[in-house]
Amino acid sequence: MAADTGGSMGKTRQYEGEGIRVIYDAGRCIHAAECVHGLGAVFDPDRRPWIDPAAAPAEEVAAVIRRCPTGALRYERLDGASQEEPAPTNELRVTADGPIFASGDLAILDAEHAEIERDARAALCRCGASNNKPFCDGTHAEAGFADPGILGVTSMPPAGDEDPSTLSIRLRADGPLVLEGRFRIEGSDRGEADGAACALCRCGYSNNKPFCDGTHRQIGFEADDPKAG
């Protein structure tokens, strides 16, 4: 059974099977294909509807959904089993010519610090061209965004009194993603650093990617971010 529903970041579609409900947000899907490769009987893009949760046990469906790096796929257990828990540590992975994949206990905040969304997995736009900011929608490929994704640092501002479990990602108005909370960030070259605060470029033009250097002000970047409520 499939149904449309409105989510805080846009329309989603739900598919219900034995003991599990699968929630799909097409606006956040960049076709990483973890679901298709992991459980083709359930996730078949050549079929309509393309998701059939009844085609496999609920636990197998849930396990594959947890591999979705963008959060486009989520689930709700209807059989009394445990719901998805965030990863115990917050991690960011910068990809070459693409988004930043984030996992953990992610709190997406608007410019006034109000919570918009709570996620366990997300792909964050850094080309500036996504039509679903702050999330990646795959537009970087069409826009010709190019950046090797190298971290370029070995140390970050140290942790203070931040809650070690939650990573706040605030959408500064027409500016960067402001991170507060303990996290590990890894570049495409496997360079990594631990930190508790930073500002990530999302206009696509910083000369210090993946970090913000203020260039968004010079180019007149407009984010058109969603707001809580």
Side-chain angles (χ1 to χ4, degrees):
M1 181 178 68
D4 290 318
T5 183
S8 62
M9 304 299 286
K11 181 178 285 189
T12 62
R13 192 157 178 80
Q14 298 186 359
Y15 304 83
E16 195 164 311
E18 185 67 32
I20 194 168
R21 178 182 296 121
V22 177
I23 303 159
Y24 174 61
D25 183 345
R28 293 176 61 171
C29 181
I30 61 173
H31 307 294
E34 289 287 346
C35 57
V36 175
H37 296 153
L39 201 56
V42 173
F43 302 97
D44 182 353
D46 295 325
R47 181 183 60 209
R48 294 294 178 271
W50 78 282
I51 299 176
D52 179 13
E59 188 54 45
E60 292 184 18
V61 177
V64 167
I65 288 175
R66 290 193 294 269
R67 290 166 47 182
C68 173
T70 68
L73 286 169
R74 305 189 301 278
Y75 65 85
E76 296 175 357
R77 295 299 294 263
L78 309 176
D79 53 5
S82 298
Q83 305 298 336
E84 180 176 3
E85 293 289 337
T89 58
N90 302 310
E91 298 185 353
L92 305 170
R93 180 166 56 87
V94 186
T95 63
D97 305 329
I100 292 177
F101 291 119
S103 61
D105 185 8
L106 313 174
I108 312 295
L109 312 179
D110 67 15
E112 285 73 43
H113 298 261
E115 187 173 302
I116 301 171
E117 190 113 339
R118 200 65 172 255
D119 279 305
R121 293 165 281 112
L124 303 171
C125 171
R126 67 188 191 101
C127 73
S130 172
N131 294 302
N132 191 33
K133 297 181 186 71
F135 303 113
C136 173
D137 67 355
T139 304
H140 55 270
E142 301 172 18
F145 176 68
D147 178 71
I150 296 172
L151 195 58
V153 300
T154 57
S155 63
M156 301 280 289
D161 297 330
E162 296 85 2
D163 181 347
S165 63
T166 301
L167 177 60
S168 296
I169 303 173
R170 179 165 58 89
L171 316 179
R172 184 177 292 173
D174 299 327
L177 298 174
V178 179
L179 273 55
E180 295 180 345
R182 301 181 190 180
F183 60 88
R184 170 164 291 186
I185 184 168
E186 178 183 286
S188 61
D189 60 346
R190 300 299 177 92
E192 60 183 31
D194 294 317
C198 74
L200 297 173
C201 171
R202 60 182 182 132
C203 74
Y205 287 91
S206 170
N207 293 302
N208 190 35
K209 299 182 190 70
F211 305 106
C212 173
D213 67 355
T215 302
H216 57 275
R217 293 188 291 269
Q218 301 171 24
I219 67 170
F221 174 66
E222 295 182 358
D224 191 26
D225 288 323
K227 296 186 181 297

